[in-house]
Amino acid sequence: MHVVSLLKSGMFDVQIEGKPAPIADVFPDWHAHDRFGLVIDEPFGGIGATHLLQLAMTLFYNIKPSRRTTLAVYPEIYAFHVGKGHGAHAPYDFWPARREVILSDDHREVLDAINDRGITRIAIPARQPRQVVHRPKEEDAALDRIVSAFVYSPGGRIENPDVVIAGNDKRTEYNPRQALRPFSPERSSSAVSTAARPVKETDTSYTDWLRERKDDVTEDQRLAIEQRREQLRKDGIVSESYRRVAVADALGILAGAGSHDETGRNEHKAG
């Protein structure tokens, strides 16, 4: 749970519709029981939503300061891997392992899993919408509960964005580096040193989970994703962009998750 001490509100600069905005405006009316869900359908695709995820985690702790002090809780964030595992995102604090849900490519199952975990804010990779007939009432349940929906690019920049989140502190790039290279001795020791209490990096079940998911992604894919992220970095920090969508539209895009070519580069833009 290194994000307790790693992430602070002042580490991010936000623009909404081209104008500077406070981070709270990204997730209006965030409350203590909000849960963030990240849908992933390509190798380490969630890295493209790093700052949106990190803002959600920051607000999770900000809304109830005792979570940073007297309580010992991980942020209520959940990763939904469509079709198969796409690399452990646990270093972001999707922990314990039940916070990373490995699903089939049946989109009814994906929505069921989102509803089961009570997700209220969701990010979905940019894919072509599809019509899917969900199980009775599952779509209505999602429409009733989810209040914020975003489309993101696994590459970090999306076409026609209306939200831009930029890191202004190099520590905002710690999590994507750690996710791609979790067994780097330097990075592992750094993670442990940022927290005053025991962290997941010292838990054998955590390292077992990382090893279990290691073969989700090939070494060539890891290198390509590292290079893609590095292309976005300027002075060690990254600016990402997103598009807000209506929840009903998000469910159609969700149905298209997984239906892309092998590169998974729909709407990836580095500039």
Side-chain angles (χ1 to χ4, degrees):
M1 55 192 307
H2 64 279
V3 297
V4 169
S5 55
L6 178 69
L7 299 176
K8 300 291 188 293
S9 302
M11 293 180 174
F12 304 94
D13 296 322
V14 171
Q15 287 192 348
I16 297 178
E17 297 180 349
K19 298 178 180 179
I23 68 168
D25 286 4
V26 177
F27 297 104
D29 302 316
W30 183 278
H31 59 76
H33 302 294
D34 269 313
R35 291 180 165 202
F36 181 84
L38 179 60
V39 178
I40 301 166
D41 71 347
E42 68 170 81
F44 284 110
I47 286 177
T50 288
H51 290 342
L52 189 68
L53 167 63
Q54 293 188 143
L55 275 195
M57 291 190 287
T58 301
L59 290 173
F60 173 84
Y61 289 109
N62 286 357
I63 200 69
K64 194 172 181 180
S66 60
R67 290 169 171 168
R68 290 188 185 272
T69 55
T70 58
L71 299 177
V73 293
Y74 283 97
E76 288 288 346
I77 56 173
Y78 296 82
F80 301 94
H81 295 249
V82 179
K84 64 168 194 164
H86 296 289
H89 288 58
Y92 283 89
D93 271 2
F94 289 103
W95 191 252
R98 62 182 175 81
R99 301 280 178 88
E100 288 206 71
V101 190
I102 314 298
L103 300 161
S104 74
D105 58 5
D106 182 340
H107 294 84
R108 297 175 303 169
E109 181 183 338
V110 178
L111 185 57
D112 290 352
I114 290 168
N115 284 343
D116 282 348
R117 286 151 186 85
I119 300 304
T120 58
R121 319 279 181 154
I122 194 162
I124 300 168
R127 306 301 180 208
Q128 289 299 315
R130 287 199 309 131
Q131 285 286 93
V132 170
V133 178
H134 290 283
R135 297 182 177 93
K137 304 302 180 184
E138 292 295 342
E139 195 166 1
D140 286 343
L143 291 170
D144 180 63
R145 187 189 63 258
I146 298 173
V147 295
S148 298
F150 301 82
V151 178
Y152 76 93
S153 165
R157 305 269 177 84
I158 197 168
E159 293 179 351
N160 303 315
D162 62 354
V163 175
V164 176
I165 305 172
N168 59 39
D169 186 306
K170 291 181 180 180
R171 287 173 292 179
T172 59
E173 284 301 289
Y174 174 82
N175 282 323
R177 286 193 173 102
Q178 184 68 15
L180 284 166
R181 301 292 174 184
F183 294 110
S184 163
E186 179 182 352
R187 290 174 190 155
S188 296
S189 61
S190 173
V192 173
S193 67
T194 62
R197 63 185 77 184
V199 293
K200 64 184 184 298
E201 285 80 3
T202 62
D203 184 345
T204 56
S205 64
Y206 173 72
T207 54
D208 288 346
W209 174 250
L210 294 180
R211 290 192 175 93
E212 182 180 340
R213 302 257 59 89
K214 185 174 182 294
D215 292 335
D216 288 356
V217 179
T218 67
E219 179 61 21
D220 286 346
Q221 288 172 323
R222 287 178 192 270
L223 287 170
I225 296 162
E226 283 179 321
Q227 291 169 3
R228 185 172 72 185
R229 189 71 181 179
E230 189 58 38
Q231 288 173 358
L232 296 184
R233 291 190 179 111
K234 184 176 181 180
D235 297 326
I237 56 178
V238 166
S239 173
E240 295 177 347
S241 59
Y242 309 89
R243 188 166 60 247
R244 295 173 296 181
V245 295
V247 177
D249 294 334
L251 296 182
I253 298 168
L254 172 66
S259 57
H260 54 89
D261 62 26
E262 289 185 359
T263 62
R265 300 293 171 84
N266 296 4
E267 294 209 57
H268 290 191
K269 295 187 71 180

